Amino acid sequence: MNGLHIDVKDCSQCPIRHRAVCSRCEPDELETLENIKYYRTYEAGQPILWSGDHMEFVASVVTGIATLSQAMEDGRTQMVGLLLPSDFIGRPGRERAPFDVVAVSDVTLCCFRRRPFEEMMTQTPHIGQRLLEMTLDELDSAREWMLVLGRKTAREKIASLVLIIARRDSSLRRKLPADGMTFDLPLTREAMADYLGLTLETVSRQISALRKTGTIRLEGKRHVIVPDLDALISETGDDYDGGMIA
Amino acid sequence: MNGLHIDVKDCSQCPIRHRAVCSRCEPDELETLENIKYYRTYEAGQPILWSGDHMEFVASVVTGIATLSQAMEDGRTQMVGLLLPSDFIGRPGRERAPFDVVAVSDVTLCCFRRRPFEEMMTQTPHIGQRLLEMTLDELDSAREWMLVLGRKTAREKIASLVLIIARRDSSLRRKLPADGMTFDLPLTREAMADYLGLTLETVSRQISALRKTGTIRLEGKRHVIVPDLDALISETGDDYDGGMIA
DNA sequence: GCGCGACATTGACCAGGATCAAAAAGGTGC
DNA sequence: GCACCTTTTTGATCCTGGTCAATGTCGCGC
C-alpha cells in the first residue's frame, strides 16, 4: 500500500486546481476555500514552503518531485528528504514548517486544510495509523541516510544515491530490474551534492569515475544505465542487499 | 508531556524485574510471561537488540541511556539515535529491529509485549496519536542531525553535540541554564565520534580546542562547564537559537 | 603504593574532498 | 545554424580531518 488514501465526504467539487506563484502569495484565497481537499500545482524550482512558514495544509504528492532541505546562514544546505508521488508533506499538530520544501520538477499536491484534517484524524483512527506507519518508514530511511552522510566515502555516497533512485524508479513503474536497468536522475548535480553532503564538483567527478569503470553508463547528463546491479551495489559499501523492494 | 503514558489494566504484579545477560538468551522466559507490561534491566555496555532481531516487545526507557546505531561490515559505525529516559524503542507492526540498540549506562526499560500492545493501540487511539507525535519529533531531530553530519565542520559538530547534551540534561532536571551550566557527557569519545561521523582522535582534538579558547571547561574527562552558552551556540554554526527548550 | 587496562590526549604525516578557476556540453530562443 | 545561458566536466592546489603511533591519565583491584 502506497500513500495515504482518504475519502472526504463533500468532495464533489474536487479537484479544484489553482496555480500559486508562491506559497506566501495568497493566504486569503486559501483561507476562503471552503472545502477540505483541493489540488495545487507548483512549477519546477518554485518554493512550496519555507522553514518557519505557517502551514495551512497538509498534503500528499500526486505527481512530480520535491525536496525537503535545511539551510545554514552561510549558504551551506543539506537536503533531508526527497518527496516522490504518494509521499506526505506536513505534520498534523504543528503550526510551522520545520524545513524548506521546494519543487524540483512540476509538482501537483493533494492538499487538506490542516484543521479539518486534524479533526478527521481523531474520528477515523486508520488515518492516524497509516500516517504513523509512513512516518516510521521515513524515520528509518532518514536513519539509513545518516550512515551514508556520516560514514561513507564520496564514491560510496554516489553509488548509494544512484541505487536508491534506481529502486524507487523501478518500484514506481512496478517494473522489476531487468538485465539493463535504465532511468533518469531527477536531480541536478548540485541537488545530489546537497543530498550527500558533498560539493557538486565531487559529485561530477565520482559519477565520471563510476562511468569510467563501467559501473554505470550515461546517455546525456541525466539518463543512467546500470548494466550490472550487483556491481553498483558493491560500490555502495553495503555488502548485502538490504532493503530490496518486493 | 514527556514519554508515553499507558495504563494497563491487569498490572497488579508489575513491575517484574528480571535481568537478562543478552537479549537473545531467554526467548522462552519471555514467551511465557503472561502480563503485558514488565520491566527489564541491562548493564552498561550490554546489547539490547541487534539489527535483524525478532522484536518481542516495544519499550520505553525508564532510566539510563541507550544508543541506536548502524554498522557496516568493515566496522564503520554510525549512531542514529540517542535514547534517554521517556524515549520509545521499537515499532508496532514491525517484526524485526532495524538497528542495533546498546545500553550505554545501566538501563531500565518498561517493556510491553508487542502483540498485546498493538491490539491495545487499535482500541485506545490516543496511544497511537501520542506515538505519532513522538515519531514526528524524532524524525525532525533525525533530519536536523543530517545537517550536522552532512555540512558542519568537526568543530561545529562537537559544539552542536555538547549543546544538545546540555539542553537535554537541563530539561531532564527541569533546571534552566544559570550562569555556569554544568553537566556530564554521557558518551565516550568514541561514541561521540560515532554520533558525529568523526574519529575519536578528532573528537578529542576539537574538545581540547574548545577548552583552550575557553568555550567550555572540563573537570576530569567527562564533566563539562559552559560558562557562556551564547559562546557555545556561536560555535555550532547555527546563528540563532533554534530549538531552545521552554 | 603499584601495576594493569581502559580511555583520552597529542604528534606527525597523509589523503580525500573542498576550493578556485577554466573549459566543455547541452538546451533554448531567435 | 548561431548566440547565450545554465549545467557539467575537468584541472590545479589547498586544507580539514583521517591514519598510525606514542604518550598520558584515570580508576580499580591487589
Side-chain angles (χ1 to χ4, degrees):
Chain A
M1 178 161 140
N2 264 345
L4 187 71
H5 300 292
I6 297 166
D7 293 321
V8 179
K9 287 185 195 84
D10 58 353
C11 199
S12 51
Q13 67 275 53
C14 287
I16 294 176
R17 295 178 178 272
H18 62 102
R19 160 156 264 139
V21 175
C22 159
S23 66
R24 300 203 248 216
C25 289
E26 35 190 20
D28 293 333
E29 183 183 356
L30 200 57
E31 205 53 52
T32 57
L33 280 172
E34 282 302 312
N35 41 324
I36 293 176
K37 176 185 174 182
Y38 56 96
Y39 290 82
R40 200 158 176 179
T41 65
Y42 299 84
E43 286 176 14
Q46 264 191 315
I48 295 173
L49 283 170
W50 293 112
S51 169
D53 272 4
H54 191 79
M55 302 210 330
E56 304 288 349
F57 58 84
V58 297
S60 76
V61 179
V62 178
T63 62
I65 294 178
T67 62
L68 212 62
S69 61
Q70 210 175 354
M72 295 171 71
E73 293 78 9
D74 60 8
R76 285 178 281 177
T77 74
Q78 176 64 49
M79 201 184 299
V80 297
L82 191 56
L83 300 168
L84 299 185
S86 89
D87 284 337
F88 190 78
I89 296 176
R91 320 186 28 163
R94 290 295 163 97
E95 293 287 316
R96 310 211 160 266
F99 304 108
D100 302 331
V101 184
V102 178
V104 169
S105 65
D106 289 354
V107 165
T108 308
L109 298 185
C110 175
C111 305
F112 300 85
R113 298 204 305 130
R114 193 163 58 81
R115 290 290 181 202
F117 182 86
E118 285 165 11
E119 280 163 34
M120 201 164 62
M121 264 187 59
T122 62
Q123 285 156 22
T124 52
H126 90 270
I127 295 180
Q129 285 167 27
R130 177 68 193 130
L131 209 50
L132 175 58
E133 222 174 291
M134 290 171 71
T135 307
L136 285 166
D137 285 344
E138 270 185 281
L139 183 57
D140 279 355
S141 48
R143 284 174 164 161
E144 269 159 38
W145 207 257
M146 288 170 75
L147 175 68
V148 174
L149 288 172
R151 291 303 186 192
K152 290 196 176 180
T153 64
R155 166 81 75 111
E156 290 168 339
K157 285 179 174 182
I158 293 292
S160 301
L161 179 57
V162 172
L163 186 62
I164 282 190
I165 291 171
R167 284 178 172 165
R168 284 205 169 184
D169 188 88
S170 62
S171 92
L172 281 182
R173 309 194 217 164
R174 304 176 175 284
K175 204 188 74 174
L176 281 185
D179 42 294
M181 271 182 113
T182 168
F183 54 92
D184 284 324
L185 296 174
L187 302 176
T188 64
R189 301 289 185 264
E190 187 180 18
M192 290 191 246
D194 284 344
Y195 207 153
L196 295 168
L198 297 171
T199 59
L200 65 92
E201 294 94 330
T202 299
V203 170
S204 181
R205 270 185 254 273
Q206 295 300 334
I207 288 180
S208 297
L210 286 179
R211 187 163 44 74
K212 272 168 198 149
T213 63
T215 312
I216 62 174
R217 263 179 292 146
L218 286 182
E219 277 174 5
K221 306 284 184 187
R222 297 290 192 89
H223 193 77
V224 177
I225 300 163
V226 180
D228 177 6
L229 195 60
D230 289 335
L232 181 61
I233 290 173
S234 77
E235 294 282 3
T236 64
D238 320 308
D239 259 0
Y240 73 106
D241 188 1
M244 193 56 203
I245 39 158
Chain B
M1 178 162 142
N2 264 345
L4 187 70
H5 300 292
I6 297 167
D7 292 321
V8 179
K9 285 186 195 82
D10 58 353
C11 199
S12 50
Q13 67 273 58
C14 287
I16 293 175
R17 294 176 179 273
H18 62 103
R19 158 158 265 141
V21 176
C22 158
S23 65
R24 300 203 248 215
C25 289
E26 35 188 21
D28 294 333
E29 182 185 355
L30 201 57
E31 205 54 49
T32 57
L33 281 171
E34 281 302 311
N35 42 321
I36 294 177
K37 176 184 174 182
Y38 56 96
Y39 288 81
R40 201 159 177 178
T41 65
Y42 299 84
E43 286 175 15
Q46 264 192 316
I48 295 173
L49 282 170
W50 292 113
S51 169
D53 272 5
H54 190 80
M55 303 214 326
E56 304 289 349
F57 58 85
V58 297
S60 76
V61 179
V62 178
T63 62
I65 295 179
T67 62
L68 212 61
S69 61
Q70 211 176 352
M72 295 171 71
E73 293 77 10
D74 61 8
R76 285 178 280 176
T77 75
Q78 177 63 51
M79 200 184 300
V80 296
L82 192 57
L83 300 167
L84 299 186
S86 89
D87 284 337
F88 190 78
I89 295 177
R91 320 184 27 160
R94 289 295 162 95
E95 292 287 315
R96 311 210 159 267
F99 304 108
D100 302 331
V101 185
V102 179
V104 169
S105 63
D106 289 354
V107 166
T108 308
L109 298 186
C110 174
C111 303
F112 300 84
R113 300 204 305 129
R114 194 164 58 81
R115 291 289 180 202
F117 182 85
E118 285 165 11
E119 281 162 36
M120 200 165 61
M121 263 187 59
T122 62
Q123 284 156 23
T124 51
H126 91 269
I127 295 179
Q129 284 167 27
R130 177 69 193 130
L131 210 48
L132 175 58
E133 220 175 296
M134 290 171 71
T135 307
L136 285 166
D137 284 344
E138 270 185 280
L139 184 57
D140 278 355
S141 48
R143 285 175 163 161
E144 268 160 37
W145 207 257
M146 288 171 75
L147 175 68
V148 174
L149 287 172
R151 292 303 187 191
K152 290 197 177 181
T153 65
R155 165 81 73 111
E156 290 168 340
K157 286 179 175 182
I158 294 291
S160 300
L161 179 57
V162 171
L163 187 61
I164 282 190
I165 292 171
R167 284 177 172 166
R168 285 205 170 183
D169 189 89
S170 62
S171 91
L172 282 183
R173 309 193 216 164
R174 302 175 176 285
K175 204 189 74 175
L176 281 185
D179 41 295
M181 271 181 113
T182 168
F183 54 93
D184 284 325
L185 296 173
L187 302 176
T188 64
R189 301 291 186 260
E190 188 180 18
M192 288 191 247
D194 284 344
Y195 206 151
L196 295 168
L198 297 171
T199 60
L200 65 90
E201 293 94 330
T202 299
V203 170
S204 182
R205 270 186 255 274
Q206 294 301 333
I207 288 181
S208 296
L210 286 179
R211 187 163 43 73
K212 271 167 197 151
T213 61
T215 311
I216 61 174
R217 263 180 291 149
L218 287 182
E219 275 173 10
K221 308 282 184 190
R222 297 290 192 88
H223 192 77
V224 178
I225 300 163
V226 180
D228 177 6
L229 195 60
D230 289 334
L232 180 61
I233 290 173
S234 77
E235 293 284 1
T236 64
D238 318 309
D239 258 2
Y240 72 106
D241 188 1
M244 193 56 203
I245 37 160

